[in-house]
Amino acid sequence: MEQNPNRPTPNRKQNGSVSKPEAESEVKTKKEKKRRELTHKTIVVRSRTVLVLMLAALVALCGRLAFLQIVDPYDYAQQAVEQYTYEVKLEAKRGTIYAADGTTKLASSVTTQTVFISPSDIYAKATEEKEDQPAIGETAYLQWLANGLAECLDGVDAQFILDKYYGLGESKLKYKYLVIKKDINQTEEDKVRLFVSENDLELQIALEEGTKRSYAEGTLASHLLGFVGSDNNGLLGLEFTYDEFLSGIDGRAVRAQDANGNELAYNYESYIAAQDGLNLVTTIDVTVQSIVEKHLKETYYEHQPEGRVSCVVMDVDTGEILALAIYPNFDSNDYTTLSPEYQAKLDAYEGEDKKSYRSTLLNEMWNNTIATQTYEPGSTFKVITAAMALESGSATRTQQFNCGRQITVAGQTIHCHSVRDHGMQTIAQCLVNSCNPGFAYIGFEVGHNQFKNYFKNFGYTEKTGSDLLGEVSSIYFDTTGVNFGDVELAVYSFGQTFKVTMLQHIAALSAVANGGYLVTPHLAKHLTDGNGNVVQSFSSERSRQVVSEDVCKDIMSYLVNSTKNACVSGYDVVSKTGTSEKRDTLREDDYVSSCVTFAPAADPKIAILVTVDTPNPEFGIYGSAVAAPAVGRILSEVLPHLGISPDESESAVDMVTIRDYIGADAKETKEIIEGLGLKCEIKGSGKTVVGQMPKGEVSIAVGGKVILYTEDTDTEDTVTVPDVTDKTPEAALKALLNKGLNVQIKGVFDGDTANCYVISQSIPSGAQVAPGTIVVVQCRYEGSSD
Ligand SMILES: [Zn+2]
C-alpha cells in the first residue's frame, strides 16, 4: 500500500474511548474554541476522504478478525466493538514565516491534493451484473478508467495506472487506497473532479487533501529559512530554530464506525482540536535580500571562488539582519536536488563513492557558514585594533607609526602588503593605507593584556547568541594553546592567526559604527497568532558599551569613501577591505577576500560584510577588487530602497535624460534633443515620430545621438561596437560616441577617474547594432593591494 505521510492513521483503539470531559479540559480559551470550530468544519469537508481511508483500514482488519475468530479464544464480540472505533489525527497547520513587512510570505503551508483510486471498488464495478446487461469486464473497464484519468493528469499515462493496479495481484480486491499522483495542480484537480462527477466514479477515484511547505521564491533566503521534512517538522534554518512555535499541536478525533462501513456518522466519541502553529515575522527585507543575492551570484561567476560568496546586511543599532545570503544557494522547495554549481562538482568527481560525495555536497550546500564557519578576518579587523588604541588612550590621534615595508618581531619578519613604503603614518593613515607594520606597532602600544581584554569585550570570545542555527565558537588565544607573545600580538593586530564567524565580526564592527554598543545579530521579530496578534516579541536591546562615541566617530571619519570600488556616487560610505591568508590550507594563493561597509557615513544605519572564500587568483584576490565591487553594487540599490537620499553628486560624465517622443512632431523634437547637448537625426520623410533610438525614457551621456524615425520602414543601418575594455572611462566614452552609439558609465565614484578602467561592456566588441544603441560600460579602480 502506498505510504502517505499526511494520511490520517486509523489506529485500533486500546482502552475504550477518551471521555468528553477529558477532551474538553484541553480546550481552555476562547481562541482555542474558535480554532476547534474551524477544525470541525475542515473535518466535515474531509469526511469523504476519511471514509475511504477508514474503509481501507477496515478491510485490512477483516483478515485479522477472521484469523482471530478461528485461532484466538479471545472474545470475538468484545473485540469487534474495538475494531469499529478509530482515532484520526487532525493535522495542525504549520505557521507562516513572514518578511519584516509582516505580509510577504517567505514560507507557508499550502493545501495539496493527491489522487488515488480504490482498486476494490473498480473491480466491483467492473464485475457488477445488472438485470438487463452483463458485466463490463475488468480489462475493458480498467482500460477505460485509466485512459480517462490519465487524460486529467500531466505526466501520467494509462499504462502507469494499469501497472499499479495489476501490480497488486489478488490483493486488489481489498485495496481502497492506491496513490496515482501527489500534489496535483488546480487544472488537474478540476479535470479529475469533472471526470469523476460526469461518470459517477465517486467510489473509484478520489482526492485527498493534505499540506506541504511552500517557499514562494524558491532559492530566496534558503540558507536562512532552511526547510521541513516530509512530516512537516523543521530540519534546518529558521524552520528548525522556531519549530516548536511554527509546528503547532496535532489534534485527534476518536469516532465510531458502523458495521457496514458504508456510512460515517458525524458525531465523535472524543474530539481534541488541532492547535495551528504560530507565525514568525522576521527581520528580513525581501528587496534587500533579492539585491544581495543577485550581486553575490554575479560576484561568484566573476571570481569563480573555490568556496562561497557570503553577505550579511545588518541594522547597526538593533542587530536586525536585513539580508543574509550565501551563493551557491539551493531551492528550499526541492532541497535534496543539488544546485547547478554543486551538481557540476559532483559531475567532475572521479572518486569511487559518488553517493557519499553527493551527501557531502548536499550538507555543504545547506550549511549556513556565516554562523557555522570561522575565518581569519584580516585587515577589516584593523578597525577594531584602532578603536582599542584610541579608547584605551594607548595611542593618540596624532601619534605616528612607521611602515618601513616590514617589521621584525622576535626574529620573525612581517611584511607590509604594499611594495611602496607607507612611511610615518597616523592611526588614520595606517587605516587608509591598511599598513601591517603600522598596526603591529599600534598593537604593541595597546599591549598584551589590554588587547586580550578588548578582544573579549568586542564579543570575539563568545557566540553572539543569535538565532541562526549552529553558531560555532571562535578560535583565539585561549583556545589555540599558543602563547600570546609579541609575534601573536603583532599579527592579531592586523587580523591574522585567529578565526571568528562573520556574525561575531559584523557585530563587533557595528559597535564601532553605532556609538560603541554590542548588538546581537538576529532574525526573529515576533510571533503572531492566526489573527495577526503579537504573541511574543524578541528583544533587540543593545548590550554593553565597548567603545565611546567619540572614538567611533573618529574612526568612521578616517575611512569615508576610502575604498573606491565600494563607493556609490552621491553618498558618503565608510569601508574597509581585507585579504586574509588561509593558513590552514597548505596551498599558497588561498585567501578570503572581504569588505565591510557602513552607510551613510555621517550616521551609519546599516553594515554590510561580504566575503569571497578562495577566489580564483586569475581574476584577482584583493578584497578591494573582489569583494568591494559587490558591496558598491549592493549599496547603489539598497540605499535608495531604504529611503536614504543621495547628496549632490558629480558624475564621471554629464548625463541627460531623453523621453519617449513617439507621436510628437519630428522637427520640434529634434530641437529639444539638440538643446540637451545631443545629436539628432530624422530618418524618413514623415512629420511625426513613429520610432526612436534609444527607446523610451533613459539617461545617456552628453554628446550621444538620438535617431528619430518618421516612417514605418525597417532600416538596415548598423554600426560596429568597438572594444573599450581596459580603456579609461574618458577614452571609452569618446570611442563609443564616435561610432554614433550612446553610453552609460558605471562604477566611477564622484567623477574621479584616476586609476579607473573599463572592466566590461554590455555589448561585446564587433557586434552590429542600430545607431543610437546604448552601451553600458562598467569601470573599476585598480592599484589597491588589500
Ligand atoms: Zn605599510
Side-chain angles (χ1 to χ4, degrees), residues 518-532:
L518 208 59
V519 293
T520 306
H522 63 278
L523 289 165
K525 259 188 176 172
H526 45 247
L527 295 166
T528 62
D529 63 17
N531 299 318

Side-chain angles (χ1 to χ4, degrees), residues 71-103:
V71 299
D72 197 318
Y74 190 78
D75 181 3
Y76 164 67
Q78 168 61 37
Q79 205 178 8
V81 173
E82 293 187 5
Q83 301 291 7
Y84 293 133
T85 318
Y86 299 94
E87 187 177 305
V88 178
K89 184 173 121 184
L90 308 173
E91 202 179 307
K93 190 172 171 247
R94 192 173 177 83
T96 301
I97 302 178
Y98 289 103
D101 61 13
T103 54

